[in-house]
């Protein structure tokens, strides 16, 4: 199939839903790459993998406030609907970031519901996140294939990450 060369920018959840519904109606295979921007080579590898297996690739850019607590303060957040995977989220990074993974799960499930992609691609760098999203999809019977892709590293071996700016060479 001839790959479309132009990028379409979609600004609203409603438009995302209807564009993706039309692609599915046309029988096109869609892949979602959820991101928070700050693009680097790791994202590029997820997007090129998605392009290699799907007819249409959706790259979402949403800096999700619910996964960054001001001091991770549980009580500071309004009560709303949340998606949680406590079996895997209350350990490792979840111990120091108690609300992080429910913020991730809630926004990722919303993106899955809007785009309803055949597959969604995540980096293996965020291993706990990947394991939690796979469990969420399995436990809730979400019809999306979750694919993890290998870490892309800088020349010195450090994994590409938007957070590397916080590190000193040491
Ligand atoms: O890994 C990220 O960048 C985020 O946690 C994600 C999956 C885009 C959800 O906001």
């Amino acid at each position: 199939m001839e790959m479309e060369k132009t990028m379409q920018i979609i600004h609203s959840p409603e438009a995302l839903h209807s564009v993706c519904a039309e692609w599915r109606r046309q029988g096109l295979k869609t892949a979602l790459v959820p991101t928070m921007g700050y693009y680097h080579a790791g994202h590029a590898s997820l997007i090129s993998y998605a392009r290699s297996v799907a007819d249409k690739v959706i790259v979402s850019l949403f800096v999700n406030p619910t996964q960054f607590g001001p001091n991770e303060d549980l009580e500071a957040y309004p009560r709303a609907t949340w998606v949680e995977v406590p079996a895997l989220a209350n350990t490792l990074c979840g111990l120091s970031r108690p609300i992080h993974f429910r913020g991730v799960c809630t926004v990722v499930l919303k993106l899955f519901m809007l785009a309803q992609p055949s597959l969604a691609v995540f980096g293996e760098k965020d291993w706990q996140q990947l394991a939690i999203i796979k469990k969420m999809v399995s436990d809730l019977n979400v019809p999306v294939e979750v694919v993890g892709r290998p870490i892309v590293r800088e020349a010195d071996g450090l994994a590409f990450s938007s957070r590397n700016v916080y590190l000193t060479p040491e």
Side-chain angles (χ1 to χ4, degrees):
M1 176 177 294
E2 174 71 12
M3 187 71 79
E4 205 177 289
K5 300 285 190 310
T6 55
M7 179 169 71
Q8 184 178 355
I9 300 181
I10 298 170
H11 293 278
S12 73
E14 296 76 17
L16 175 63
H17 185 259
S18 65
V19 167
C20 294
E22 175 58 22
W23 286 338
R24 281 196 308 282
R25 205 188 56 73
Q26 292 172 14
L28 298 171
K29 182 172 178 178
T30 58
L32 172 68
V33 183
T35 82
M36 295 197 298
Y38 213 129
Y39 294 116
H40 51 63
H43 295 110
S45 90
L46 303 182
I47 295 166
S48 58
Y49 172 79
R51 288 190 70 164
S52 74
V53 295
D55 301 309
K56 295 285 186 186
V57 175
I58 305 127
V59 179
S60 64
L61 196 184
F62 178 64
V63 182
N64 176 22
T66 65
Q67 65 190 71
F68 302 102
N71 307 318
E72 304 280 342
D73 181 357
L74 277 170
E75 300 312 313
Y77 276 85
R79 294 184 195 287
T81 301
W82 296 109
V83 181
E84 298 192 65
V85 182
L88 296 181
N90 295 334
T91 180
L92 301 172
C93 297
L95 291 174
S96 56
R97 308 187 73 193
I99 63 167
H100 173 71
F101 288 113
R102 74 171 192 187
V104 171
C105 287
T106 304
V107 82
V108 167
L109 188 63
K110 284 164 74 80
L111 289 165
F112 284 2
M113 298 303 287
L114 289 167
Q116 299 183 29
S118 304
L119 70 144
V121 190
F122 296 86
E124 288 180 347
K125 172 172 70 64
D126 302 304
W127 185 265
Q128 189 175 8
Q129 169 174 280
L130 179 60
I132 287 172
I133 290 169
K134 283 185 171 170
K135 181 155 176 60
M136 173 186 79
V137 158
S138 158
D139 287 352
L140 299 180
N141 302 100
V142 182
V144 174
E145 182 194 353
V146 175
V147 178
R149 297 292 299 164
I151 295 174
V152 179
R153 296 180 186 279
E154 302 199 37
D156 64 359
L158 182 66
F160 274 101
S161 168
S162 56
R163 292 198 166 83
N164 290 354
V165 294
Y166 298 122
L167 302 177
T168 61
E170 293 74 33

PDB file of all heavy atoms in Angstrom, residues 39-59:
ATOM      1  N   TYR A  39      10.436  14.766  21.909  1.00  0.00           N
ATOM      2  CA  TYR A  39      10.791  13.603  21.095  1.00  0.00           C
ATOM      3  C   TYR A  39      12.291  13.360  20.992  1.00  0.00           C
ATOM      4  O   TYR A  39      13.081  14.292  20.897  1.00  0.00           O
ATOM      5  CB  TYR A  39      10.176  13.752  19.696  1.00  0.00           C
ATOM      6  CG  TYR A  39       8.661  13.700  19.764  1.00  0.00           C
ATOM      7  CD1 TYR A  39       7.890  14.788  19.402  1.00  0.00           C
ATOM      8  CD2 TYR A  39       8.031  12.570  20.262  1.00  0.00           C
ATOM      9  CE1 TYR A  39       6.509  14.741  19.511  1.00  0.00           C
ATOM     10  CE2 TYR A  39       6.656  12.518  20.382  1.00  0.00           C
ATOM     11  CZ  TYR A  39       5.899  13.601  20.002  1.00  0.00           C
ATOM     12  OH  TYR A  39       4.545  13.546  20.126  1.00  0.00           O
ATOM     13  N   HIS A  40      12.644  12.085  21.004  1.00  0.00           N
ATOM     14  CA  HIS A  40      14.039  11.660  20.860  1.00  0.00           C
ATOM     15  C   HIS A  40      14.062  10.361  20.054  1.00  0.00           C
ATOM     16  O   HIS A  40      13.008   9.885  19.588  1.00  0.00           O
ATOM     17  CB  HIS A  40      14.698  11.514  22.234  1.00  0.00           C
ATOM     18  CG  HIS A  40      13.922  10.662  23.210  1.00  0.00           C
ATOM     19  ND1 HIS A  40      13.673   9.328  22.990  1.00  0.00           N
ATOM     20  CD2 HIS A  40      13.324  10.973  24.384  1.00  0.00           C
ATOM     21  CE1 HIS A  40      12.992   8.841  24.005  1.00  0.00           C
ATOM     22  NE2 HIS A  40      12.739   9.837  24.852  1.00  0.00           N
ATOM     23  N   ALA A  41      15.262   9.794  19.915  1.00  0.00           N
ATOM     24  CA  ALA A  41      15.416   8.619  19.047  1.00  0.00           C
ATOM     25  C   ALA A  41      14.583   7.424  19.510  1.00  0.00           C
ATOM     26  O   ALA A  41      14.192   6.581  18.692  1.00  0.00           O
ATOM     27  CB  ALA A  41      16.896   8.234  18.972  1.00  0.00           C
ATOM     28  N   GLY A  42      14.310   7.341  20.805  1.00  0.00           N
ATOM     29  CA  GLY A  42      13.469   6.240  21.292  1.00  0.00           C
ATOM     30  C   GLY A  42      12.062   6.326  20.713  1.00  0.00           C
ATOM     31  O   GLY A  42      11.497   5.325  20.243  1.00  0.00           O
ATOM     32  N   HIS A  43      11.497   7.542  20.717  1.00  0.00           N
ATOM     33  CA  HIS A  43      10.162   7.722  20.117  1.00  0.00           C
ATOM     34  C   HIS A  43      10.213   7.389  18.628  1.00  0.00           C
ATOM     35  O   HIS A  43       9.299   6.755  18.087  1.00  0.00           O
ATOM     36  CB  HIS A  43       9.681   9.172  20.270  1.00  0.00           C
ATOM     37  CG  HIS A  43       9.457   9.607  21.673  1.00  0.00           C
ATOM     38  ND1 HIS A  43      10.273  10.519  22.303  1.00  0.00           N
ATOM     39  CD2 HIS A  43       8.504   9.263  22.577  1.00  0.00           C
ATOM     40  CE1 HIS A  43       9.825  10.721  23.541  1.00  0.00           C
ATOM     41  NE2 HIS A  43       8.761   9.978  23.735  1.00  0.00           N
ATOM     42  N   ALA A  44      11.286   7.865  17.950  1.00  0.00           N
ATOM     43  CA  ALA A  44      11.382   7.631  16.501  1.00  0.00           C
ATOM     44  C   ALA A  44      11.351   6.135  16.209  1.00  0.00           C
ATOM     45  O   ALA A  44      10.734   5.692  15.232  1.00  0.00           O
ATOM     46  CB  ALA A  44      12.659   8.273  15.952  1.00  0.00           C
ATOM     47  N   SER A  45      11.993   5.347  17.059  1.00  0.00           N
ATOM     48  CA  SER A  45      11.996   3.901  16.798  1.00  0.00           C
ATOM     49  C   SER A  45      10.606   3.295  17.007  1.00  0.00           C
ATOM     50  O   SER A  45      10.207   2.383  16.285  1.00  0.00           O
ATOM     51  CB  SER A  45      13.057   3.197  17.632  1.00  0.00           C
ATOM     52  OG  SER A  45      12.545   2.799  18.867  1.00  0.00           O
ATOM     53  N   LEU A  46       9.848   3.810  17.976  1.00  0.00           N
ATOM     54  CA  LEU A  46       8.474   3.306  18.183  1.00  0.00           C
ATOM     55  C   LEU A  46       7.598   3.655  16.976  1.00  0.00           C
ATOM     56  O   LEU A  46       6.798   2.841  16.504  1.00  0.00           O
ATOM     57  CB  LEU A  46       7.849   3.908  19.449  1.00  0.00           C
ATOM     58  CG  LEU A  46       8.583   3.706  20.777  1.00  0.00           C
ATOM     59  CD1 LEU A  46       7.781   4.337  21.920  1.00  0.00           C
ATOM     60  CD2 LEU A  46       8.827   2.233  21.047  1.00  0.00           C
ATOM     61  N   ILE A  47       7.775   4.896  16.492  1.00  0.00           N
ATOM     62  CA  ILE A  47       6.946   5.351  15.364  1.00  0.00           C
ATOM     63  C   ILE A  47       7.323   4.589  14.098  1.00  0.00           C
ATOM     64  O   ILE A  47       6.450   4.151  13.344  1.00  0.00           O
ATOM     65  CB  ILE A  47       7.098   6.884  15.178  1.00  0.00           C
ATOM     66  CG1 ILE A  47       6.525   7.626  16.400  1.00  0.00           C
ATOM     67  CG2 ILE A  47       6.406   7.354  13.900  1.00  0.00           C
ATOM     68  CD1 ILE A  47       6.916   9.098  16.506  1.00  0.00           C
ATOM     69  N   SER A  48       8.626   4.372  13.869  1.00  0.00           N
ATOM     70  CA  SER A  48       8.955   3.648  12.631  1.00  0.00           C
ATOM     71  C   SER A  48       8.515   2.196  12.721  1.00  0.00           C
ATOM     72  O   SER A  48       8.078   1.622  11.717  1.00  0.00           O
ATOM     73  CB  SER A  48      10.411   3.815  12.207  1.00  0.00           C
ATOM     74  OG  SER A  48      11.234   3.391  13.182  1.00  0.00           O
ATOM     75  N   TYR A  49       8.554   1.588  13.922  1.00  0.00           N
ATOM     76  CA  TYR A  49       8.007   0.228  14.039  1.00  0.00           C
ATOM     77  C   TYR A  49       6.519   0.248  13.700  1.00  0.00           C
ATOM     78  O   TYR A  49       6.021  -0.590  12.928  1.00  0.00           O
ATOM     79  CB  TYR A  49       8.210  -0.348  15.449  1.00  0.00           C
ATOM     80  CG  TYR A  49       7.486  -1.641  15.627  1.00  0.00           C
ATOM     81  CD1 TYR A  49       8.008  -2.832  15.115  1.00  0.00           C
ATOM     82  CD2 TYR A  49       6.219  -1.686  16.228  1.00  0.00           C
ATOM     83  CE1 TYR A  49       7.313  -4.022  15.212  1.00  0.00           C
ATOM     84  CE2 TYR A  49       5.516  -2.874  16.334  1.00  0.00           C
ATOM     85  CZ  TYR A  49       6.077  -4.035  15.823  1.00  0.00           C
ATOM     86  OH  TYR A  49       5.369  -5.217  15.911  1.00  0.00           O
ATOM     87  N   ALA A  50       5.796   1.227  14.267  1.00  0.00           N
ATOM     88  CA  ALA A  50       4.348   1.319  14.021  1.00  0.00           C
ATOM     89  C   ALA A  50       4.081   1.462  12.518  1.00  0.00           C
ATOM     90  O   ALA A  50       3.178   0.810  11.969  1.00  0.00           O
ATOM     91  CB  ALA A  50       3.761   2.497  14.796  1.00  0.00           C
ATOM     92  N   ARG A  51       4.892   2.284  11.856  1.00  0.00           N
ATOM     93  CA  ARG A  51       4.697   2.466  10.408  1.00  0.00           C
ATOM     94  C   ARG A  51       4.943   1.180   9.640  1.00  0.00           C
ATOM     95  O   ARG A  51       4.356   0.965   8.573  1.00  0.00           O
ATOM     96  CB  ARG A  51       5.627   3.556   9.880  1.00  0.00           C
ATOM     97  CG  ARG A  51       5.208   4.944  10.308  1.00  0.00           C
ATOM     98  CD  ARG A  51       5.983   6.008   9.584  1.00  0.00           C
ATOM     99  NE  ARG A  51       5.595   6.059   8.177  1.00  0.00           N
ATOM    100  CZ  ARG A  51       5.871   7.074   7.372  1.00  0.00           C
ATOM    101  NH1 ARG A  51       6.540   8.117   7.829  1.00  0.00           N
ATOM    102  NH2 ARG A  51       5.484   7.055   6.116  1.00  0.00           N
ATOM    103  N   SER A  52       5.827   0.329  10.158  1.00  0.00           N
ATOM    104  CA  SER A  52       6.157  -0.908   9.432  1.00  0.00           C
ATOM    105  C   SER A  52       5.059  -1.962   9.544  1.00  0.00           C
ATOM    106  O   SER A  52       5.040  -2.912   8.760  1.00  0.00           O
ATOM    107  CB  SER A  52       7.495  -1.476   9.922  1.00  0.00           C
ATOM    108  OG  SER A  52       7.337  -2.062  11.206  1.00  0.00           O
ATOM    109  N   VAL A  53       4.170  -1.833  10.535  1.00  0.00           N
ATOM    110  CA  VAL A  53       3.158  -2.885  10.730  1.00  0.00           C
ATOM    111  C   VAL A  53       1.720  -2.401  10.529  1.00  0.00           C
ATOM    112  O   VAL A  53       0.800  -3.207  10.536  1.00  0.00           O
ATOM    113  CB  VAL A  53       3.273  -3.541  12.134  1.00  0.00           C
ATOM    114  CG1 VAL A  53       4.592  -4.292  12.271  1.00  0.00           C
ATOM    115  CG2 VAL A  53       3.114  -2.519  13.247  1.00  0.00           C
ATOM    116  N   ALA A  54       1.513  -1.082  10.383  1.00  0.00           N
ATOM    117  CA  ALA A  54       0.137  -0.568  10.284  1.00  0.00           C
ATOM    118  C   ALA A  54      -0.013   0.344   9.074  1.00  0.00           C
ATOM    119  O   ALA A  54       0.966   0.872   8.551  1.00  0.00           O
ATOM    120  CB  ALA A  54      -0.216   0.205  11.555  1.00  0.00           C
ATOM    121  N   ASP A  55      -1.251   0.509   8.635  1.00  0.00           N
ATOM    122  CA  ASP A  55      -1.527   1.427   7.515  1.00  0.00           C
ATOM    123  C   ASP A  55      -1.537   2.872   7.992  1.00  0.00           C
ATOM    124  O   ASP A  55      -1.165   3.782   7.261  1.00  0.00           O
ATOM    125  CB  ASP A  55      -2.903   1.108   6.917  1.00  0.00           C
ATOM    126  CG  ASP A  55      -2.974  -0.322   6.427  1.00  0.00           C
ATOM    127  OD1 ASP A  55      -2.085  -0.724   5.671  1.00  0.00           O
ATOM    128  OD2 ASP A  55      -3.914  -1.038   6.838  1.00  0.00           O
ATOM    129  N   LYS A  56      -2.024   3.081   9.215  1.00  0.00           N
ATOM    130  CA  LYS A  56      -2.124   4.431   9.769  1.00  0.00           C
ATOM    131  C   LYS A  56      -1.501   4.438  11.165  1.00  0.00           C
ATOM    132  O   LYS A  56      -1.771   3.534  11.971  1.00  0.00           O
ATOM    133  CB  LYS A  56      -3.596   4.870   9.893  1.00  0.00           C
ATOM    134  CG  LYS A  56      -4.303   5.005   8.560  1.00  0.00           C
ATOM    135  CD  LYS A  56      -3.859   6.261   7.850  1.00  0.00           C
ATOM    136  CE  LYS A  56      -4.668   6.478   6.574  1.00  0.00           C
ATOM    137  NZ  LYS A  56      -4.142   7.628   5.808  1.00  0.00           N
ATOM    138  N   VAL A  57      -0.709   5.481  11.440  1.00  0.00           N
ATOM    139  CA  VAL A  57      -0.071   5.603  12.749  1.00  0.00           C
ATOM    140  C   VAL A  57      -0.589   6.867  13.433  1.00  0.00           C
ATOM    141  O   VAL A  57      -0.600   7.948  12.830  1.00  0.00           O
ATOM    142  CB  VAL A  57       1.470   5.678  12.605  1.00  0.00           C
ATOM    143  CG1 VAL A  57       2.125   5.935  13.962  1.00  0.00           C
ATOM    144  CG2 VAL A  57       2.001   4.394  11.979  1.00  0.00           C
ATOM    145  N   ILE A  58      -1.037   6.708  14.651  1.00  0.00           N
ATOM    146  CA  ILE A  58      -1.500   7.844  15.450  1.00  0.00           C
ATOM    147  C   ILE A  58      -0.459   8.068  16.540  1.00  0.00           C
ATOM    148  O   ILE A  58      -0.173   7.166  17.334  1.00  0.00           O
ATOM    149  CB  ILE A  58      -2.856   7.539  16.113  1.00  0.00           C
ATOM    150  CG1 ILE A  58      -3.888   7.115  15.062  1.00  0.00           C
ATOM    151  CG2 ILE A  58      -3.342   8.724  16.940  1.00  0.00           C
ATOM    152  CD1 ILE A  58      -4.550   5.801  15.387  1.00  0.00           C
ATOM    153  N   VAL A  59       0.124   9.269  16.588  1.00  0.00           N
ATOM    154  CA  VAL A  59       1.056   9.623  17.664  1.00  0.00           C
ATOM    155  C   VAL A  59       0.341  10.640  18.546  1.00  0.00           C
ATOM    156  O   VAL A  59       0.058  11.758  18.104  1.00  0.00           O
ATOM    157  CB  VAL A  59       2.361  10.230  17.106  1.00  0.00           C
ATOM    158  CG1 VAL A  59       3.311  10.606  18.251  1.00  0.00           C
ATOM    159  CG2 VAL A  59       3.036   9.262  16.138  1.00  0.00           C
TER     160      VAL A  59
END
